[in-house]
Structure formats: structure tokens, C-alpha cells
Amino acid sequence: FIAVSHETEEETATITVSAAASLTEAFTDIAREFEAENPDTKVELNFAGSGTLRTQIESGAPVDVFASASESDMDLLSGKGLIEESSRRDFAANTVVMVVPEKNRSESPKKLEDLTAHSVEKIAIGNPETTPAGKYAKHALEDAGIWDEIESKVIPGETVKQVLTYVETGEVDAGFVFITDAENCRKDLYEIALTVPVNESIIYPIAVINESSSKEKAQKFVNFVIGKRGQEILAEHGFKKP
């Protein structure tokens, strides 16, 4: 009896999936269905800004799968030989939007140039160094020629979720998040003012980490994400195909 229980313990593995904060709801659903299909595997989810997760992996954090909201963070890991190249796949695409609190709707900014107005005092943006949504937003504001003018108004957020919270609570006059976050949260507290023009595709890649001790199970999870059911769940949460 003891030997059997010991064997069962060995057969059941936990894989750690580090995923961009914007994937929180979608990957929570994906992990639940994956575990139901694969009772020998438990999925532990670790959500944060993609840049923060990349740094953790570079520092040797025990991660099996990385799902990033930007190709550049995955490219950096690839350049250091930290991912299984053959496992890398693009699995989703997204869009950045500007959201404004419901309470200010009449005088809310409606376009990027409106952010330079004196009435707009605080703008929430994810830290461009660690959050892809923040990086894309900053690029768009630079392209619009207003970044230098509004930089002093910027309140940085550690993740898109934190940026959205600032908007929901009315602490800021505008914020930049992925449309999937805006569509999945408290839409009674804010409105989407505009789709932000970005001059690059916002693609989400996923890959197995080289140092994973459960590569086979990690690859199974990647396969589930890029497979039919994984793609259906992502679409339900507003993600587009890459």
C-alpha cells in the first residue's frame, strides 16, 4: 500500500506556468480544463508583467512554461538559451485601448491629444520596462508626439490589472490597458475611449523553459493552449488569433 501511494506521488507532477497578467482569467480557465483532462498534472499559475516574469526565469526561478504578452521578452530568453526553441508558438493577439473613469465622462479625454489638457492630471500606464501594454502605449504616445508633454502626469502600474484598478477607482483620468482586460472587468466603472494605434502586432508567444523538470507535461500544456479548446477559451476572453 505504501509503495503504491509513493508511486502515485511520483506520477503526479506540478508544473509552474508563468503568464502575463493580462492572461489571468483566460489561463485560470485553461488550467482548470487542462487539469480535468490530465489528472496526473497540477498547474500552478504565476501572473505578473511579462518583463518581471522574464527576469524571474533569468534568475533561475523554477518555471516550466512561459506565456508572454510580448515577443521581445521571449526573444531575450531565447537569446540566452533558456527556452526550448521547438516548443515556441504564437498563441494569441491583443489590442491596446485607452479607458476613462465613468464619473468624468463628459470631460474625459477622447483622443490621445486630449491627454495634454490641464484638466487631465493623472494617466495610468503599465511600467514600460516590465509590462508590454505600457511599452506599447508609450510607443503610441511617442508616435503622437505628446510623450514628453505628458510624462510628468504618468502614474506607473506594475501590471495592466493595477492600471485598470486606478481607472475603476477614479484615481486617474485615463489609463492604457489591453482590450481583453477592459472587456473582462467592471465595465460599469469606466468606458473604452479609443483603440490605441500601435505600429506593431501585439502577439503572445508561449514556450517550455529549458530547465523544466517536467518537459513532457509542460509541452502538453502548451499543446492544450494552442489546440482547439485552448483557442476557444482565449476567444471567449476576447483574445484574437495571432
Side-chain angles (χ1 to χ4, degrees), residues 140-240:
L141 293 163
E142 286 173 338
D143 290 344
I146 60 171
W147 175 256
D148 291 343
E149 203 175 333
I150 65 158
E151 193 178 357
S152 61
K153 302 179 180 186
V154 168
I155 309 292
E158 281 312 303
T159 63
V160 276
K161 301 293 183 194
Q162 189 176 29
V163 169
L164 200 52
T165 300
Y166 287 149
V167 178
E168 287 173 346
T169 54
E171 290 178 56
V172 298
D173 301 297
F176 291 87
V177 297
F178 287 124
I179 192 163
T180 48
D181 295 291
E183 292 290 359
N184 277 311
C185 294
R186 294 285 308 276
K187 291 180 77 175
D188 56 321
L189 299 177
Y190 56 83
E191 70 162 336
I192 297 172
L194 73 115
T195 298
V196 178
V198 291
N199 54 17
E200 56 198 308
S201 298
I202 301 174
I203 301 294
Y204 284 55
I206 190 169
V208 174
I209 299 302
N210 244 337
E211 292 297 308
S212 167
S213 54
S214 302
K215 281 187 182 171
E216 205 176 304
K217 289 178 166 63
Q219 183 63 57
K220 260 190 172 179
F221 183 84
V222 171
N223 293 346
F224 187 88
V225 171
I226 63 177
K228 184 172 182 288
R229 184 59 191 137
Q231 289 296 299
E232 283 172 0
I233 294 169
L234 285 158
E236 285 162 17
H237 288 279
F239 288 93
K240 296 183 173 57

Side-chain angles (χ1 to χ4, degrees), residues 91-121:
F91 68 95
N94 217 335
T95 306
V96 174
V97 293
M98 182 172 82
V99 288
V100 295
E102 185 64 36
K103 66 180 179 64
N104 302 341
R105 190 178 269 206
S106 55
E107 67 265 28
S108 289
K110 299 290 186 285
K111 53 186 192 292
L112 294 182
E113 289 70 24
D114 293 348
L115 297 174
T116 60
H118 290 303
S119 57
V120 177
E121 295 174 4

Side-chain angles (χ1 to χ4, degrees), residues 9-162:
E9 259 177 43
E10 282 187 347
E11 284 175 11
T12 304
T14 298
I15 58 168
T16 300
V17 175
S18 284
S22 52
L23 291 164
T24 301
E25 293 83 9
F27 264 42
T28 299
D29 288 351
I30 283 174
R32 191 184 304 118
E33 291 204 20
F34 176 82
E35 286 177 342
E37 265 186 38
N38 299 272
D40 62 341
T41 310
K42 186 178 181 326
V43 180
E44 200 164 274
L45 295 166
N46 173 36
F47 297 111
S50 298
T52 302
L53 296 173
R54 170 181 54 78
T55 306
Q56 290 172 1
I57 292 165
E58 288 170 341
S59 303
V63 174
D64 299 289
V65 176
F66 178 41
S68 172
S70 82
E71 292 177 285
S72 59
D73 285 303
M74 191 68 85
D75 290 343
L76 287 165
L77 291 185
S78 173
K80 294 182 175 182
L82 294 174
I83 64 166
E84 282 281 343
E85 291 299 336
S86 62
S87 72
R88 180 174 176 172
R89 292 288 184 279
D90 293 338
F91 68 95
N94 217 335
T95 306
V96 174
V97 293
M98 182 172 82
V99 288
V100 295
E102 185 64 36
K103 66 180 179 64
N104 302 341
R105 190 178 269 206
S106 55
E107 67 265 28
S108 289
K110 299 290 186 285
K111 53 186 192 292
L112 294 182
E113 289 70 24
D114 293 348
L115 297 174
T116 60
H118 290 303
S119 57
V120 177
E121 295 174 4
K122 291 177 182 173
I123 304 158
I125 297 179
N127 179 347
E129 300 301 314
T130 53
T131 64
K135 180 186 74 173
Y136 296 127
K138 184 184 175 187
H139 287 177
L141 293 163
E142 286 173 338
D143 290 344
I146 60 171
W147 175 256
D148 291 343
E149 203 175 333
I150 65 158
E151 193 178 357
S152 61
K153 302 179 180 186
V154 168
I155 309 292
E158 281 312 303
T159 63
V160 276
K161 301 293 183 194
Q162 189 176 29

